[in-house]
Amino acid sequence: MSLDNRPVYTGGCQCGAVRFRVEGTLGDASICHCRMCQKASGNFYLPLVSVRGAKVDWTRGDPKRFRSSNAAWRGFCADCGTPLTFEAPDGMALAIGAFDDPAGIAPTIQWGTEAKLPYVDAIPRLPGEDTSADISSAPYLAELVSYQHPDHDTEQWPPEERS
Ligand SMILES: [Zn+2]
Ligand SMILES: [Zn+2]
């Protein structure tokens, strides 16, 4: 929380070159199935939350932007490629998965359903296993060291021993 009790959210890309800070109330959270969002995220759909009514600061680095249409720009980290923004004339939205605590930002609507991939609705019914369920076939997982930025702001990044 900030001094005047406005909520504060932080996040950034996986490599840590770009970090953001949002102060104020988040707007609508959604997922977009449209083909443009699939391509921009390299994914089945793109989860976004509007920050139209909040104050957004880029606290480390700046996203690079690709103009994906005459109406919108897509921001991403130029170093690691993490998708970060959708920027249209009526405001900006941030990728929910890029927040340090995405669990608190639940989507309330789906957009672009005309392009929804045919298997997306079946995913919750697929068998599920946690990451270490099959450690014998992927023994490197037992000694995995993440090089991603942690889910909180840092004074210096990358850490000195790795830079
Ligand atoms: Zn990055
Ligand atoms: Zn879309």
Side-chain angles (χ1 to χ4, degrees):
M1 290 291 199
S2 57
L3 285 179
D4 55 358
N5 269 349
R6 295 215 293 170
V8 170
Y9 305 85
T10 56
C13 67
Q14 64 167 335
C15 84
V18 181
R19 295 281 300 165
F20 60 78
R21 180 180 190 276
V22 181
E23 188 178 332
T25 306
L26 298 176
D28 287 339
S30 62
I31 64 171
C32 187
H33 296 279
C34 88
R35 183 60 191 142
M36 297 185 83
C37 284
Q38 290 173 6
K39 287 173 74 84
S41 62
N43 223 310
F44 301 154
Y45 50 78
L46 178 57
L48 291 168
V49 62
S50 170
V51 289
R52 201 178 294 172
K55 181 172 173 285
V56 179
D57 291 311
W58 298 101
T59 53
R60 186 183 291 149
D62 245 314
K64 187 173 182 180
R65 290 175 175 86
F66 172 68
R67 192 177 189 190
S68 58
S69 73
N70 61 337
W73 295 79
R74 311 266 183 169
F76 58 95
C77 174
D79 289 342
C80 72
T82 302
L84 294 168
T85 75
F86 173 81
E87 302 171 45
D90 58 351
M92 180 164 79
L94 290 173
I96 295 175
F99 280 73
D100 290 333
D101 185 14
I105 308 170
T108 56
I109 187 164
Q110 309 178 68
W111 298 107
T113 54
E114 73 284 347
K116 183 162 73 174
L117 292 168
Y119 43 77
V120 161
D121 288 339
I123 291 173
R125 296 191 298 277
L126 297 177
E129 301 282 4
D130 70 29
T131 302
S132 57
D134 196 10
I135 203 105
S136 57
S137 71
Y140 61 88
L141 288 175
E143 290 163 17
L144 192 75
V145 178
S146 172
Y147 293 158
Q148 290 187 321
H149 190 278
D151 285 331
H152 55 77
D153 283 331
T154 50
E155 287 299 315
Q156 179 187 326
W157 192 259
E160 224 157 328
E161 63 268 26
R162 246 182 41 223
S163 54

